[in-house]
């Protein structure tokens, strides 16, 4: 059977509709269960320009006071390279990812980062990340 094209696929690449994926987290209906799920939803927030969600999921100790998204970056794809811990029963997690973007000039680029997450209660937070060159 041919695969039905997905209507409104989630930008995070989960192959689920946005409404059944990261949007659930952004609307606060449920918390992302794992560090990777939080990472994916934060990527989607970057795609959609949802700074409120980015701040809400940033650890209060490392969250920047101002958060300006560079509109020049049009994020095109997320690739999870590797995850360490970060399951629903753990309190720390590491997600190594590559995020691809296009600039208005048409030039493409890639951001590669190893991000650190902690879980406080039910909720995962982004702490910080190391860029990979
Ligand atoms: Zn998603």
């Amino acid at each position: 059977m041919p695969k039905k094209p997905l209507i409104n696929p989630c930008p995070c690449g989960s192959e689920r509709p946005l409404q059944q994926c990261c949007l659930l987290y952004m609307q606060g209906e449920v918390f992302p269960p794992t560090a990777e799920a939080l990472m994916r939803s934060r990527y989607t927030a970057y795609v959609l320009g949802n700074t409120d969600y980015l701040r809400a999921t940033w650890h209060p100790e490392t969250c920047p006071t101002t958060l300006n998204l560079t509109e020049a970056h049009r994020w095109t794809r997320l690739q999870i390279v590797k995850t360490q811990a970060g399951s629903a029963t753990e309190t720390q997690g590491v997600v190594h990812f590559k995020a691809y973007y296009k600039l208005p000039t048409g030039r493409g680029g890639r951001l590669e980062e190893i991000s650190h997450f902690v879980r406080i209660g039910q909720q995962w937070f982004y702490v910080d990340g190391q860029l990979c060159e």
Side-chain angles (χ1 to χ4, degrees), residues 7 11 26 31 34-35 45 51 75 80 84 95 103 126:
I7 298 160
M26 288 184 199
F31 289 124
T34 63
T51 48
W75 298 99
I80 304 289
Q84 257 177 280
V95 181
L103 297 172
Y126 171 76

Side-chain angles (χ1 to χ4, degrees), residues 43-109:
Y43 169 82
T44 299
Y46 274 103
V47 172
L48 303 178
N50 187 341
T51 48
D52 287 348
Y53 184 76
L54 290 170
R55 300 186 70 87
T57 55
W58 212 308
H59 195 281
E61 274 171 32
T62 52
C63 186
T65 41
T66 54
L67 183 61
N68 294 314
L69 301 186
T70 42
E71 279 169 25
H73 285 53
R74 191 168 61 80
W75 298 99
T76 54
R77 190 164 68 90
L78 173 70
Q79 183 194 353
I80 304 289
V81 180
K82 198 178 160 197
T83 60
Q84 257 177 280
S87 76
T89 56
E90 286 165 298
T91 53
Q92 288 190 31
V94 179
V95 181
H96 179 180
F97 69 91
K98 294 176 185 173
Y100 296 83
Y101 59 84
K102 268 229 160 77
L103 297 172
T105 56
R107 255 191 69 202

Side-chain angles (χ1 to χ4, degrees), residues 10 12 14 21-22 44:
C10 190
C12 81
S14 64
C21 190
C22 295
T44 299

Side-chain angles (χ1 to χ4, degrees), residues 9-26 37 40-44 78:
C10 190
C12 81
S14 64
E15 298 190 342
R16 284 187 288 160
L18 176 61
Q19 291 83 351
Q20 288 168 33
C21 190
C22 295
L23 199 64
L24 292 176
Y25 307 137
M26 288 184 199
R40 287 178 173 278
S41 68
R42 284 175 52 86
Y43 169 82
T44 299
L78 173 70

